[in-house]
Amino acid sequence: ESDMTSLQEIQDFLGLKRFAFVGVSRQPKDFSRMLFREFLARGYQAVPVNPDAGEIDGQPCFARLQEIEPPVEGVLFMTAPAVTDTLVRDCPGAGIKHVWMYRAGGVGAGTADAISFCESNGMGVVPGECPFMFLPGGAWYHRFHGLVKKIAGSYPQ
């Protein structure tokens, strides 16, 4: 898998104007909510999927991917790897063609099994990046990321 393929898939995903967002937190200060609101502010229709919430930031919430009406073609997972592994199996039946498995630091949402499941079912997959890094003009995120690295002492000297 070359970087070019990933970049093309990133562009394809960001070209969708409407997609499911799995793992958006009910906590307003959670990072997932910041990303969710950023997509909304940029004119995307991010459709929250959370079995424990009726709505998030005014967007109606769906319990499962298959219940989204009208259906979506893409899904962003900000979930624990085991959750991604399970829920990715709902994607083909839900008409999903593009899967993004979020990762900024740490383990991220993806697993090798989930990635190969997507590939073998003909779905494009972004296996572990943060969308903020690819949204045009997302400079504040880079500054924030650099600050975190400085605080953590891992900033390149």
Side-chain angles (χ1 to χ4, degrees), residues 19-25 32 36 46-51 56 61-65 68 72 74-80 83-84 87-88 90-91 96 100 102 109:
F19 62 90
F21 195 129
V22 182
V24 62
S25 173
S32 66
F36 183 72
V47 180
V49 177
N50 181 330
I56 289 178
C61 209
F62 293 87
R64 296 164 68 236
L65 288 169
I68 298 173
V72 291
V75 57
L76 171 67
F77 284 105
M78 280 190 87
T79 43
V83 176
T84 305
L87 295 185
V88 79
D90 291 343
C91 290
I96 286 165
W100 189 313
Y102 172 86

Side-chain angles (χ1 to χ4, degrees), residues 10-87:
I10 286 164
Q11 286 166 347
D12 289 350
F13 190 98
L14 293 176
L16 301 172
K17 275 301 174 194
R18 190 169 170 275
F19 62 90
F21 195 129
V22 182
V24 62
S25 173
R26 290 184 297 169
Q27 306 303 318
K29 299 241 187 295
D30 190 81
F31 183 76
S32 66
R33 285 290 283 278
M34 286 167 36
L35 184 56
F36 183 72
R37 285 192 290 260
E38 181 71 12
F39 274 117
L40 296 180
R42 287 168 176 270
Y44 285 90
Q45 274 188 288
V47 180
V49 177
N50 181 330
D52 303 320
E55 60 88 35
I56 289 178
D57 288 329
Q59 307 298 307
C61 209
F62 293 87
R64 296 164 68 236
L65 288 169
Q66 301 94 311
E67 292 172 13
I68 298 173
E69 278 303 322
V72 291
E73 284 189 13
V75 57
L76 171 67
F77 284 105
M78 280 190 87
T79 43
V83 176
T84 305
D85 222 26
T86 304
L87 295 185

